[in-house]
């Protein structure tokens, strides 16, 4: 007996799960976690609401799925930067370039990871913590690369935190003021900080 029907069903399930996560991530970012219903997510993903409950029993479960998506995307970013460049300073410069590529959406809606950390905290604390791991991953990567340039671990970690704090502050200020130059200045400052 062929297992092709089972594999096809599993593939459809994975596609639906991905569609739900993509839709939820976008809606939570744009409309906010509390402003988004499970019906909104089902509609945006073209997955019937009844089927959504097969994959995610609660909104908190869906929030955790989104937080896992953010952490996976951050890991993928770090891996692609590591594969693309070998020298630590080149990796850090390339990381900032990749972050800069998303500045348009961040100007419009702020940072989706920061929003998830904030919005999930009360009703989905596990998801909030998991979303925050994206920042931890970036800080650890930057600190490790700075360490390879001869920085003491404590100094490298401090500088890595400073860069991510500057990035998040730049996003918040640019979004609040609706001034793209604020974010452009932030990325330039991040590059200078990481190069020094």
């Amino acid at each position: 007996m062929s297992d092709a029907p089972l594999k096809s069903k599993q593939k459809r399930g994975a596609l639906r799960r991905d569609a739900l996560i993509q839709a939820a991530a976008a809606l939570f970012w744009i409309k906010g976690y509390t402003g988004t219903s499970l019906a909104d997510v089902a509609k945006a993903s073209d997955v019937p609401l009844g089927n959504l409950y097969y994959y995610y029993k609660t909104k908190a479960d869906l929030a955790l799925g989104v937080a896992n998506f953010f952490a996976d995307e951050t890991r993928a970013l770090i891996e692609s930067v590591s594969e693309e460049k070998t020298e630590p300073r080149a990796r850090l410069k390339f990381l900032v370039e990749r972050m800069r590529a998303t500045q348009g959406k961040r100007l419009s809606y702020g940072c989706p990871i920061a929003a998830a950390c904030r919005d999930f905290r009360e009703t989905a604390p596990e998801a909030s913590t998991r979303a925050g791991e994206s920042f931890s991953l970036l800080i650890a990567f930057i600190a490790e690369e700075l360490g390879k340039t001869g920085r003491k671990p404590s100094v490298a970690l401090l500088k890595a935190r400073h860069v991510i704090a500057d990035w998040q502050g730049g996003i918040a200020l640019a979004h609040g003021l609706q001034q793209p130059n604020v974010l452009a200045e932030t990325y330039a400052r991040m590059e200078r900080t990481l190069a020094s």
Side-chain angles (χ1 to χ4, degrees), residues 74 77-78 95 99 134-142 164 167:
T74 303
L77 169 65
I78 290 167
L95 175 67
M99 294 164 103
S134 293
F135 295 133
S136 297
L137 289 166
L138 287 169
I139 290 166
F141 175 71
I142 292 168
I164 296 302
W167 177 52

Side-chain angles (χ1 to χ4, degrees), residues 4 10 20 24 35 37 41 52 74 80 108-110 123-124 140 187 191 196:
Q10 289 172 335
L20 288 165
S37 68
V41 174
L52 180 149
T74 303
S80 72
S108 299
Y109 303 112
T123 58
Y187 288 117
E191 285 182 342
S196 63

Side-chain angles (χ1 to χ4, degrees), residues 32-54:
Y33 180 64
T34 57
T36 301
S37 68
L38 291 178
D40 293 333
V41 174
K43 182 177 180 182
S45 64
D46 288 327
V47 174
L49 182 58
N51 288 13
L52 180 149
Y53 291 106
Y54 175 77

Side-chain angles (χ1 to χ4, degrees), residues 26 33-35 50 71 119 121 156 164 173 175:
Y33 180 64
T34 57
D119 293 350
R121 185 155 290 133
I164 296 302
L173 191 59
H175 172 65

Side-chain angles (χ1 to χ4, degrees), residues 14-30 36 40-47 52 56 62 65-70 72-73 105 112:
L15 289 173
R16 281 185 172 170
R17 187 176 289 109
D18 289 347
L20 288 165
I21 290 298
Q22 294 285 337
L27 288 169
F28 292 166
W29 186 19
I30 295 166
T36 301
D40 293 333
V41 174
K43 182 177 180 182
S45 64
D46 288 327
V47 174
L52 180 149
Y56 301 100
L62 188 56
V66 168
N68 286 331
F69 169 74
F70 289 152
D72 291 345
E73 287 288 298
K105 287 185 177 179

